[in-house]
Amino acid sequence: MTATAQHYEQLLAPIYEWMAGGAEAALAAGAADLAGLLPSPGLCLDLGAGFGMHAIPLAKAGFEVIAIDSSAHLLARLQELAGSLPIQSICGDLLDFPKHLPTGTKATLIVCMGDTLTHLSSPVEVDRLASLAYAHLEPGGRFLATFRDYSQPLQGNRRFIPVRSDQSRILTCFLEEQGDRIRVHDILHEQQGDQWTMQVSHYLKLRLAPEAIRQMFADKGFTAQIESAPRGMLRLICDRS
């Protein structure tokens, strides 16, 4: 298990739905993220699917979805929320997605939402993802991703980010520049009876300039553009000729 996968499984996965404001709010936000951006329904790969924030709206929009994530915990919750929707959940590395496609089949849509791109271990892996996406999309297919721009790291007190809190739980994020990576520290306080406990864990994210990411996908043959997206994200839209 990678350090990122271990971080999610041990600290973030059990609270991820809470972080997103609960299932109903998260699914509504996921549907809004995709509105107006979808090709005609077909086979879709959701890379880093989590608990289904985007996979479930995609299935409701008529797509047959293969949802891949490294967290068995989150995928189990996805299946609970999905019910009978046409979603296949696979626990594994998102870069292994080609082996999960039916033989001789290409996808109409590949999505990699949240901040999943920056979870990859190196720019080489991002470049590999671009190549794989182009090779396994149908002509006219689309690759969609959202990501955060860490190329200009926050400074001083702005590095402390309150994620969410309620009467019994507080999650704070602290960002620390580390060369071509950003070290993300998640600090979780939870009330247990009359005591408060603290868990701290960290993992690394890539610092890639948005134009560098766009160029990687353009170099593979995509028509690629980047635009603003909700929740402080940027959106990468890549169309395959």
Side-chain angles (χ1 to χ4, degrees):
M1 183 179 289
T2 67
T4 299
Q6 186 175 15
H7 174 86
Y8 266 75
E9 204 63 13
Q10 294 181 353
L11 191 146
L12 290 186
I15 64 166
Y16 208 78
E17 189 175 328
W18 170 82
M19 286 170 55
E24 184 176 353
L27 294 176
D33 288 344
L34 299 165
L37 296 169
L38 300 179
S40 298
L43 179 62
C44 173
L45 290 155
D46 185 353
L47 309 180
F51 63 86
M53 181 173 173
H54 298 95
I56 290 172
L58 285 163
K60 289 181 177 179
F63 287 88
E64 180 183 347
V65 181
I66 299 174
I68 301 175
D69 199 278
S70 63
S71 171
H73 180 102
L74 291 175
L75 289 174
R77 180 57 175 152
L78 185 159
Q79 290 300 148
E80 289 179 7
L81 294 170
S84 61
L85 289 169
I87 302 175
Q88 177 188 2
S89 295
I90 295 171
C91 189
D93 188 328
L94 65 86
L95 289 173
D96 290 336
F97 77 80
K99 70 183 183 183
H100 303 300
L101 286 167
T103 303
T105 302
K106 292 189 175 184
T108 300
L109 176 68
I110 299 174
V111 300
C112 188
M113 309 297 282
D115 202 18
T116 303
L117 277 182
T118 66
H119 291 177
L120 294 174
S121 66
S122 69
V124 171
E125 287 202 345
V126 180
D127 190 75
R128 182 181 168 210
L129 175 60
S131 294
L132 290 171
Y134 193 86
H136 293 90
L137 274 170
E138 295 177 348
R142 174 168 279 187
F143 177 90
L144 287 175
T146 54
F147 63 96
R148 296 190 186 277
D149 179 6
Y150 299 106
S151 61
Q152 300 296 324
L154 299 175
Q155 302 296 322
N157 292 343
R158 295 179 64 209
R159 295 174 297 163
F160 293 86
I161 302 170
V163 179
R164 194 178 180 208
S165 63
D166 59 24
Q167 291 182 338
S168 61
R169 182 181 284 157
I170 303 167
L171 180 63
T172 305
C173 182
F174 171 66
L175 304 181
E176 181 182 14
E177 185 178 353
Q178 188 169 338
D180 62 351
R181 305 289 195 275
I182 202 87
R183 186 182 294 274
V184 180
H185 302 261
D186 285 318
I187 307 162
L188 177 65
H189 290 87
E190 290 185 297
Q191 188 175 30
Q192 297 181 358
D194 60 355
Q195 302 289 323
W196 282 86
T197 64
M198 182 178 73
Q199 289 181 263
V200 180
S201 182
H202 70 267
Y203 64 112
L204 297 175
K205 288 187 176 184
L206 288 175
R207 292 177 57 204
L208 286 174
E211 176 56 23
I213 294 176
R214 191 203 67 79
Q215 192 62 54
M216 285 182 187
F217 283 80
D219 287 346
K220 303 301 176 289
F222 284 108
T223 300
Q225 60 179 314
I226 288 179
E227 61 185 28
S228 297
R231 300 182 297 283
M233 297 277 190
L234 294 174
R235 180 186 292 120
L236 174 66
I237 304 172
C238 299
D239 291 316
R240 190 195 189 287
S241 57

